[in-house]
Amino acid sequence: MFDPNKEWSISFAGCGFMGIYYVGVISCILERFPRFIRDAAKIYGASAGALMAAIITLGIPLDKCCSDLMRMAKEARKHKLGPLHPAYNLLQLVQESLLEKLPEDAHLRVSGKLSLSLTRVSDGRNLLVSQFDSREELIQALICSCFVPLYCGVVPFNPSQYYVDGAVSDNLPRCQLGRTITISPYAGESDLCPRASTLTFHEVRFNNVSIQLNSENLYRVTSTFFPPEAEAMAEICQNGYMDALRFLQENGEDSFLVFLQR
C-alpha cells in the first residue's frame, strides 16, 4: 500500500500513442490527490512516458497536451501507412509542440526532479538524465528519448551524441532508493495499469515493463504504433481515469484526503 509519509517517485512507461491513457490517469490524480505528483521526489519517464513526466513536472495544462496528441494521431491516420508514411514526421510534430508549450525556464524547473530514460547507441547503455543546462537541451533530450529506431527514421535526432529511445534499454526506470510507483497502459504487474478482463496465460517483460499476453494488450501494443480512431482514443483516456481512481481507492484514497487536511 502506498504510504504518503515515506518518500516516493513516479515512473511512466514508454507507450507511443497510448500516451492518451496517461492523460486520463493524471486528470484523475490531479482532481483527487495532486500531492501524489507535487511531492514526488522524482518523476521518471521513457519515450512517450518521458513527455508526460515533463508535462506534469512543469504543470502544463493537460487539455493542451491532449489536443496535440489527438492532432498528431489524426494526421497519422490520414496516410495509408500511418506514422510510417514518408510524409509524416512524428518527431517534428512533437518538437513543435514542445517549442510552443515549454516555458523559457523549463530546464531550471525540472532539473533534479525530472529523469529521462535514454539509450546510448554506441554501447546500448541506459542513461537517466536529470540535469539540463538549457531549454534547448531539455527539448533535445525529450526528442531523443522518443526516437524509436526505424519507426522514426534511421539517423538519431542528435547525431553528435547518438542517443535513442530510452525504451530500448529501460522502458520503466525506477529509483534505486525509496519506492517507485510504476504506471503503464498495458495490463501487467505495474502499480497503476489496466486489469485484464480476458484469459491470460503468460506474461512478458519488455525492458522492465510487465505485459500480459492477451488480446487486450495486443490491441494496446498495436495502438502504441498505429493510433486508433478518435473515439477509441477517448475511451483509452477514460479507462486511464478509471484505473487511476481504482488505484487511489485500493491504496486508501480516504486516508490520502485525511492526510492532506492535517
PDB file of all heavy atoms in Angstrom, residues 40-43 53-54 57-58 105-116 129-135 137-138 141:
ATOM      1  N   ALA A  40       6.243  14.177  -5.216  1.00  0.00           N
ATOM      2  CA  ALA A  40       7.096  13.056  -5.618  1.00  0.00           C
ATOM      3  C   ALA A  40       8.553  13.510  -5.654  1.00  0.00           C
ATOM      4  O   ALA A  40       8.861  14.617  -6.103  1.00  0.00           O
ATOM      5  CB  ALA A  40       6.666  12.533  -6.983  1.00  0.00           C
ATOM      6  N   ALA A  41       9.452  12.666  -5.166  1.00  0.00           N
ATOM      7  CA  ALA A  41      10.876  13.016  -5.152  1.00  0.00           C
ATOM      8  C   ALA A  41      11.411  13.157  -6.571  1.00  0.00           C
ATOM      9  O   ALA A  41      12.137  14.101  -6.890  1.00  0.00           O
ATOM     10  CB  ALA A  41      11.660  11.955  -4.391  1.00  0.00           C
ATOM     11  N   LYS A  42      11.060  12.209  -7.442  1.00  0.00           N
ATOM     12  CA  LYS A  42      11.466  12.245  -8.845  1.00  0.00           C
ATOM     13  C   LYS A  42      10.323  11.734  -9.714  1.00  0.00           C
ATOM     14  O   LYS A  42       9.497  10.935  -9.258  1.00  0.00           O
ATOM     15  CB  LYS A  42      12.721  11.398  -9.096  1.00  0.00           C
ATOM     16  CG  LYS A  42      14.042  12.096  -8.781  1.00  0.00           C
ATOM     17  CD  LYS A  42      15.214  11.236  -9.201  1.00  0.00           C
ATOM     18  CE  LYS A  42      16.554  11.960  -9.043  1.00  0.00           C
ATOM     19  NZ  LYS A  42      16.703  13.067 -10.006  1.00  0.00           N
ATOM     20  N   ILE A  43      10.303  12.200 -10.950  1.00  0.00           N
ATOM     21  CA  ILE A  43       9.329  11.718 -11.919  1.00  0.00           C
ATOM     22  C   ILE A  43      10.106  11.202 -13.129  1.00  0.00           C
ATOM     23  O   ILE A  43      10.786  11.966 -13.811  1.00  0.00           O
ATOM     24  CB  ILE A  43       8.343  12.829 -12.325  1.00  0.00           C
ATOM     25  CG1 ILE A  43       7.600  13.336 -11.081  1.00  0.00           C
ATOM     26  CG2 ILE A  43       7.356  12.307 -13.365  1.00  0.00           C
ATOM     27  CD1 ILE A  43       6.598  14.434 -11.371  1.00  0.00           C
ATOM     28  N   ALA A  53       5.982  12.826 -18.212  1.00  0.00           N
ATOM     29  CA  ALA A  53       6.717  13.182 -17.000  1.00  0.00           C
ATOM     30  C   ALA A  53       7.105  14.658 -17.019  1.00  0.00           C
ATOM     31  O   ALA A  53       6.995  15.358 -16.011  1.00  0.00           O
ATOM     32  CB  ALA A  53       7.966  12.307 -16.877  1.00  0.00           C
ATOM     33  N   ALA A  54       7.547  15.149 -18.178  1.00  0.00           N
ATOM     34  CA  ALA A  54       7.913  16.565 -18.300  1.00  0.00           C
ATOM     35  C   ALA A  54       6.693  17.460 -18.168  1.00  0.00           C
ATOM     36  O   ALA A  54       6.733  18.505 -17.507  1.00  0.00           O
ATOM     37  CB  ALA A  54       8.597  16.810 -19.643  1.00  0.00           C
ATOM     38  N   THR A  57       5.586  17.595 -14.505  1.00  0.00           N
ATOM     39  CA  THR A  57       6.594  18.271 -13.683  1.00  0.00           C
ATOM     40  C   THR A  57       6.486  19.781 -13.851  1.00  0.00           C
ATOM     41  O   THR A  57       6.645  20.545 -12.893  1.00  0.00           O
ATOM     42  CB  THR A  57       8.011  17.796 -14.053  1.00  0.00           C
ATOM     43  OG1 THR A  57       8.098  16.384 -13.911  1.00  0.00           O
ATOM     44  CG2 THR A  57       9.061  18.442 -13.142  1.00  0.00           C
ATOM     45  N   LEU A  58       6.207  20.220 -15.069  1.00  0.00           N
ATOM     46  CA  LEU A  58       6.086  21.647 -15.368  1.00  0.00           C
ATOM     47  C   LEU A  58       4.695  22.192 -15.098  1.00  0.00           C
ATOM     48  O   LEU A  58       4.484  23.412 -15.089  1.00  0.00           O
ATOM     49  CB  LEU A  58       6.444  21.902 -16.830  1.00  0.00           C
ATOM     50  CG  LEU A  58       7.919  21.748 -17.193  1.00  0.00           C
ATOM     51  CD1 LEU A  58       8.094  21.696 -18.704  1.00  0.00           C
ATOM     52  CD2 LEU A  58       8.732  22.895 -16.603  1.00  0.00           C
ATOM     53  N   ASP A 105      12.092  28.941 -18.864  1.00  0.00           N
ATOM     54  CA  ASP A 105      12.871  28.438 -17.728  1.00  0.00           C
ATOM     55  C   ASP A 105      12.566  26.972 -17.421  1.00  0.00           C
ATOM     56  O   ASP A 105      12.805  26.497 -16.306  1.00  0.00           O
ATOM     57  CB  ASP A 105      12.608  29.292 -16.482  1.00  0.00           C
ATOM     58  CG  ASP A 105      11.158  29.210 -16.010  1.00  0.00           C
ATOM     59  OD1 ASP A 105      10.286  28.754 -16.791  1.00  0.00           O
ATOM     60  OD2 ASP A 105      10.887  29.618 -14.861  1.00  0.00           O
ATOM     61  N   ALA A 106      12.049  26.252 -18.403  1.00  0.00           N
ATOM     62  CA  ALA A 106      11.646  24.864 -18.189  1.00  0.00           C
ATOM     63  C   ALA A 106      12.793  24.019 -17.642  1.00  0.00           C
ATOM     64  O   ALA A 106      12.600  23.197 -16.737  1.00  0.00           O
ATOM     65  CB  ALA A 106      11.123  24.260 -19.493  1.00  0.00           C
ATOM     66  N   HIS A 107      13.978  24.217 -18.177  1.00  0.00           N
ATOM     67  CA  HIS A 107      15.125  23.404 -17.752  1.00  0.00           C
ATOM     68  C   HIS A 107      15.471  23.623 -16.283  1.00  0.00           C
ATOM     69  O   HIS A 107      15.897  22.697 -15.593  1.00  0.00           O
ATOM     70  CB  HIS A 107      16.337  23.710 -18.626  1.00  0.00           C
ATOM     71  CG  HIS A 107      16.770  25.139 -18.594  1.00  0.00           C
ATOM     72  ND1 HIS A 107      15.997  26.167 -19.109  1.00  0.00           N
ATOM     73  CD2 HIS A 107      17.903  25.732 -18.104  1.00  0.00           C
ATOM     74  CE1 HIS A 107      16.632  27.317 -18.936  1.00  0.00           C
ATOM     75  NE2 HIS A 107      17.778  27.078 -18.343  1.00  0.00           N
ATOM     76  N   LEU A 108      15.267  24.850 -15.805  1.00  0.00           N
ATOM     77  CA  LEU A 108      15.535  25.144 -14.396  1.00  0.00           C
ATOM     78  C   LEU A 108      14.483  24.508 -13.486  1.00  0.00           C
ATOM     79  O   LEU A 108      14.799  24.026 -12.395  1.00  0.00           O
ATOM     80  CB  LEU A 108      15.567  26.657 -14.176  1.00  0.00           C
ATOM     81  CG  LEU A 108      16.627  27.431 -14.965  1.00  0.00           C
ATOM     82  CD1 LEU A 108      16.469  28.932 -14.746  1.00  0.00           C
ATOM     83  CD2 LEU A 108      18.028  26.975 -14.573  1.00  0.00           C
ATOM     84  N   ARG A 109      13.262  24.487 -13.955  1.00  0.00           N
ATOM     85  CA  ARG A 109      12.156  23.985 -13.138  1.00  0.00           C
ATOM     86  C   ARG A 109      12.134  22.463 -13.035  1.00  0.00           C
ATOM     87  O   ARG A 109      11.614  21.911 -12.050  1.00  0.00           O
ATOM     88  CB  ARG A 109      10.826  24.503 -13.698  1.00  0.00           C
ATOM     89  CG  ARG A 109      10.656  25.998 -13.532  1.00  0.00           C
ATOM     90  CD  ARG A 109       9.529  26.574 -14.375  1.00  0.00           C
ATOM     91  NE  ARG A 109       8.250  25.927 -14.110  1.00  0.00           N
ATOM     92  CZ  ARG A 109       7.125  26.227 -14.741  1.00  0.00           C
ATOM     93  NH1 ARG A 109       7.142  27.156 -15.694  1.00  0.00           N
ATOM     94  NH2 ARG A 109       6.005  25.605 -14.440  1.00  0.00           N
ATOM     95  N   VAL A 110      12.698  21.777 -14.020  1.00  0.00           N
ATOM     96  CA  VAL A 110      12.638  20.311 -13.997  1.00  0.00           C
ATOM     97  C   VAL A 110      13.935  19.658 -13.539  1.00  0.00           C
ATOM     98  O   VAL A 110      13.918  18.492 -13.119  1.00  0.00           O
ATOM     99  CB  VAL A 110      12.258  19.748 -15.386  1.00  0.00           C
ATOM    100  CG1 VAL A 110      10.939  20.338 -15.876  1.00  0.00           C
ATOM    101  CG2 VAL A 110      13.362  19.987 -16.412  1.00  0.00           C
ATOM    102  N   SER A 111      15.046  20.378 -13.613  1.00  0.00           N
ATOM    103  CA  SER A 111      16.332  19.776 -13.244  1.00  0.00           C
ATOM    104  C   SER A 111      16.305  19.277 -11.801  1.00  0.00           C
ATOM    105  O   SER A 111      15.913  19.995 -10.884  1.00  0.00           O
ATOM    106  CB  SER A 111      17.465  20.788 -13.420  1.00  0.00           C
ATOM    107  OG  SER A 111      17.763  20.990 -14.787  1.00  0.00           O
ATOM    108  N   GLY A 112      16.721  18.021 -11.633  1.00  0.00           N
ATOM    109  CA  GLY A 112      16.760  17.414 -10.314  1.00  0.00           C
ATOM    110  C   GLY A 112      15.525  16.615  -9.985  1.00  0.00           C
ATOM    111  O   GLY A 112      15.573  15.720  -9.126  1.00  0.00           O
ATOM    112  N   LYS A 113      14.397  16.907 -10.633  1.00  0.00           N
ATOM    113  CA  LYS A 113      13.160  16.163 -10.365  1.00  0.00           C
ATOM    114  C   LYS A 113      12.768  15.283 -11.540  1.00  0.00           C
ATOM    115  O   LYS A 113      12.430  14.117 -11.367  1.00  0.00           O
ATOM    116  CB  LYS A 113      12.006  17.112 -10.035  1.00  0.00           C
ATOM    117  CG  LYS A 113      10.717  16.367  -9.696  1.00  0.00           C
ATOM    118  CD  LYS A 113       9.721  17.249  -8.977  1.00  0.00           C
ATOM    119  CE  LYS A 113       8.519  16.447  -8.516  1.00  0.00           C
ATOM    120  NZ  LYS A 113       7.573  17.226  -7.694  1.00  0.00           N
ATOM    121  N   LEU A 114      12.813  15.816 -12.746  1.00  0.00           N
ATOM    122  CA  LEU A 114      12.513  15.031 -13.933  1.00  0.00           C
ATOM    123  C   LEU A 114      13.710  14.154 -14.288  1.00  0.00           C
ATOM    124  O   LEU A 114      14.851  14.612 -14.262  1.00  0.00           O
ATOM    125  CB  LEU A 114      12.197  15.970 -15.099  1.00  0.00           C
ATOM    126  CG  LEU A 114      11.951  15.326 -16.470  1.00  0.00           C
ATOM    127  CD1 LEU A 114      10.689  14.483 -16.453  1.00  0.00           C
ATOM    128  CD2 LEU A 114      11.877  16.407 -17.546  1.00  0.00           C
ATOM    129  N   SER A 115      13.451  12.902 -14.629  1.00  0.00           N
ATOM    130  CA  SER A 115      14.540  11.985 -15.002  1.00  0.00           C
ATOM    131  C   SER A 115      14.138  11.234 -16.269  1.00  0.00           C
ATOM    132  O   SER A 115      13.153  10.490 -16.269  1.00  0.00           O
ATOM    133  CB  SER A 115      14.822  11.001 -13.875  1.00  0.00           C
ATOM    134  OG  SER A 115      15.970  10.224 -14.150  1.00  0.00           O
ATOM    135  N   LEU A 116      14.885  11.464 -17.357  1.00  0.00           N
ATOM    136  CA  LEU A 116      14.549  10.909 -18.657  1.00  0.00           C
ATOM    137  C   LEU A 116      15.413   9.696 -18.986  1.00  0.00           C
ATOM    138  O   LEU A 116      16.626   9.728 -18.803  1.00  0.00           O
ATOM    139  CB  LEU A 116      14.731  11.969 -19.742  1.00  0.00           C
ATOM    140  CG  LEU A 116      13.993  13.297 -19.535  1.00  0.00           C
ATOM    141  CD1 LEU A 116      14.278  14.246 -20.683  1.00  0.00           C
ATOM    142  CD2 LEU A 116      12.505  13.072 -19.368  1.00  0.00           C
ATOM    143  N   VAL A 129      18.854  10.953 -17.352  1.00  0.00           N
ATOM    144  CA  VAL A 129      19.299  12.341 -17.398  1.00  0.00           C
ATOM    145  C   VAL A 129      18.359  13.204 -16.568  1.00  0.00           C
ATOM    146  O   VAL A 129      17.145  13.214 -16.804  1.00  0.00           O
ATOM    147  CB  VAL A 129      19.350  12.858 -18.850  1.00  0.00           C
ATOM    148  CG1 VAL A 129      19.856  14.286 -18.887  1.00  0.00           C
ATOM    149  CG2 VAL A 129      20.220  11.950 -19.696  1.00  0.00           C
ATOM    150  N   SER A 130      18.933  13.929 -15.596  1.00  0.00           N
ATOM    151  CA  SER A 130      18.114  14.751 -14.702  1.00  0.00           C
ATOM    152  C   SER A 130      18.531  16.218 -14.662  1.00  0.00           C
ATOM    153  O   SER A 130      17.834  17.029 -14.056  1.00  0.00           O
ATOM    154  CB  SER A 130      18.172  14.195 -13.264  1.00  0.00           C
ATOM    155  OG  SER A 130      17.563  12.929 -13.192  1.00  0.00           O
ATOM    156  N   GLN A 131      19.662  16.545 -15.249  1.00  0.00           N
ATOM    157  CA  GLN A 131      20.136  17.921 -15.238  1.00  0.00           C
ATOM    158  C   GLN A 131      20.184  18.460 -16.662  1.00  0.00           C
ATOM    159  O   GLN A 131      20.696  17.800 -17.567  1.00  0.00           O
ATOM    160  CB  GLN A 131      21.529  18.005 -14.589  1.00  0.00           C
ATOM    161  CG  GLN A 131      21.567  17.565 -13.129  1.00  0.00           C
ATOM    162  CD  GLN A 131      20.764  18.482 -12.216  1.00  0.00           C
ATOM    163  OE1 GLN A 131      20.692  19.694 -12.444  1.00  0.00           O
ATOM    164  NE2 GLN A 131      20.177  17.918 -11.176  1.00  0.00           N
ATOM    165  N   PHE A 132      19.661  19.666 -16.837  1.00  0.00           N
ATOM    166  CA  PHE A 132      19.577  20.269 -18.163  1.00  0.00           C
ATOM    167  C   PHE A 132      20.073  21.713 -18.086  1.00  0.00           C
ATOM    168  O   PHE A 132      19.609  22.497 -17.257  1.00  0.00           O
ATOM    169  CB  PHE A 132      18.131  20.223 -18.664  1.00  0.00           C
ATOM    170  CG  PHE A 132      17.504  18.852 -18.538  1.00  0.00           C
ATOM    171  CD1 PHE A 132      16.745  18.519 -17.417  1.00  0.00           C
ATOM    172  CD2 PHE A 132      17.696  17.895 -19.515  1.00  0.00           C
ATOM    173  CE1 PHE A 132      16.179  17.262 -17.284  1.00  0.00           C
ATOM    174  CE2 PHE A 132      17.148  16.628 -19.394  1.00  0.00           C
ATOM    175  CZ  PHE A 132      16.375  16.316 -18.269  1.00  0.00           C
ATOM    176  N   ASP A 133      21.004  22.050 -18.956  1.00  0.00           N
ATOM    177  CA  ASP A 133      21.630  23.377 -18.920  1.00  0.00           C
ATOM    178  C   ASP A 133      20.837  24.436 -19.663  1.00  0.00           C
ATOM    179  O   ASP A 133      21.097  25.631 -19.497  1.00  0.00           O
ATOM    180  CB  ASP A 133      23.050  23.297 -19.497  1.00  0.00           C
ATOM    181  CG  ASP A 133      23.981  22.468 -18.629  1.00  0.00           C
ATOM    182  OD1 ASP A 133      23.740  22.406 -17.408  1.00  0.00           O
ATOM    183  OD2 ASP A 133      24.931  21.877 -19.171  1.00  0.00           O
ATOM    184  N   SER A 134      19.904  24.023 -20.490  1.00  0.00           N
ATOM    185  CA  SER A 134      19.121  24.987 -21.256  1.00  0.00           C
ATOM    186  C   SER A 134      17.793  24.365 -21.660  1.00  0.00           C
ATOM    187  O   SER A 134      17.621  23.139 -21.615  1.00  0.00           O
ATOM    188  CB  SER A 134      19.877  25.443 -22.510  1.00  0.00           C
ATOM    189  OG  SER A 134      20.018  24.352 -23.418  1.00  0.00           O
ATOM    190  N   ARG A 135      16.868  25.211 -22.062  1.00  0.00           N
ATOM    191  CA  ARG A 135      15.585  24.731 -22.573  1.00  0.00           C
ATOM    192  C   ARG A 135      15.796  23.872 -23.807  1.00  0.00           C
ATOM    193  O   ARG A 135      15.149  22.838 -23.979  1.00  0.00           O
ATOM    194  CB  ARG A 135      14.686  25.932 -22.895  1.00  0.00           C
ATOM    195  CG  ARG A 135      13.334  25.602 -23.527  1.00  0.00           C
ATOM    196  CD  ARG A 135      12.537  26.893 -23.654  1.00  0.00           C
ATOM    197  NE  ARG A 135      11.257  26.707 -24.300  1.00  0.00           N
ATOM    198  CZ  ARG A 135      11.028  26.887 -25.595  1.00  0.00           C
ATOM    199  NH1 ARG A 135      12.038  27.254 -26.397  1.00  0.00           N
ATOM    200  NH2 ARG A 135       9.823  26.720 -26.108  1.00  0.00           N
ATOM    201  N   GLU A 137      18.386  22.055 -24.534  1.00  0.00           N
ATOM    202  CA  GLU A 137      18.937  20.748 -24.154  1.00  0.00           C
ATOM    203  C   GLU A 137      17.828  19.839 -23.630  1.00  0.00           C
ATOM    204  O   GLU A 137      17.818  18.631 -23.908  1.00  0.00           O
ATOM    205  CB  GLU A 137      20.011  20.929 -23.092  1.00  0.00           C
ATOM    206  CG  GLU A 137      20.691  19.629 -22.695  1.00  0.00           C
ATOM    207  CD  GLU A 137      21.810  19.852 -21.690  1.00  0.00           C
ATOM    208  OE1 GLU A 137      22.762  20.579 -22.035  1.00  0.00           O
ATOM    209  OE2 GLU A 137      21.712  19.296 -20.577  1.00  0.00           O
ATOM    210  N   LEU A 138      16.901  20.401 -22.877  1.00  0.00           N
ATOM    211  CA  LEU A 138      15.770  19.622 -22.365  1.00  0.00           C
ATOM    212  C   LEU A 138      14.927  19.096 -23.516  1.00  0.00           C
ATOM    213  O   LEU A 138      14.572  17.909 -23.547  1.00  0.00           O
ATOM    214  CB  LEU A 138      14.924  20.491 -21.436  1.00  0.00           C
ATOM    215  CG  LEU A 138      13.573  19.907 -21.007  1.00  0.00           C
ATOM    216  CD1 LEU A 138      13.748  18.603 -20.243  1.00  0.00           C
ATOM    217  CD2 LEU A 138      12.801  20.923 -20.166  1.00  0.00           C
ATOM    218  N   ALA A 141      16.708  16.299 -25.319  1.00  0.00           N
ATOM    219  CA  ALA A 141      16.693  15.049 -24.554  1.00  0.00           C
ATOM    220  C   ALA A 141      15.334  14.364 -24.668  1.00  0.00           C
ATOM    221  O   ALA A 141      15.249  13.132 -24.793  1.00  0.00           O
ATOM    222  CB  ALA A 141      17.028  15.325 -23.093  1.00  0.00           C
TER     223      ALA A 141
END
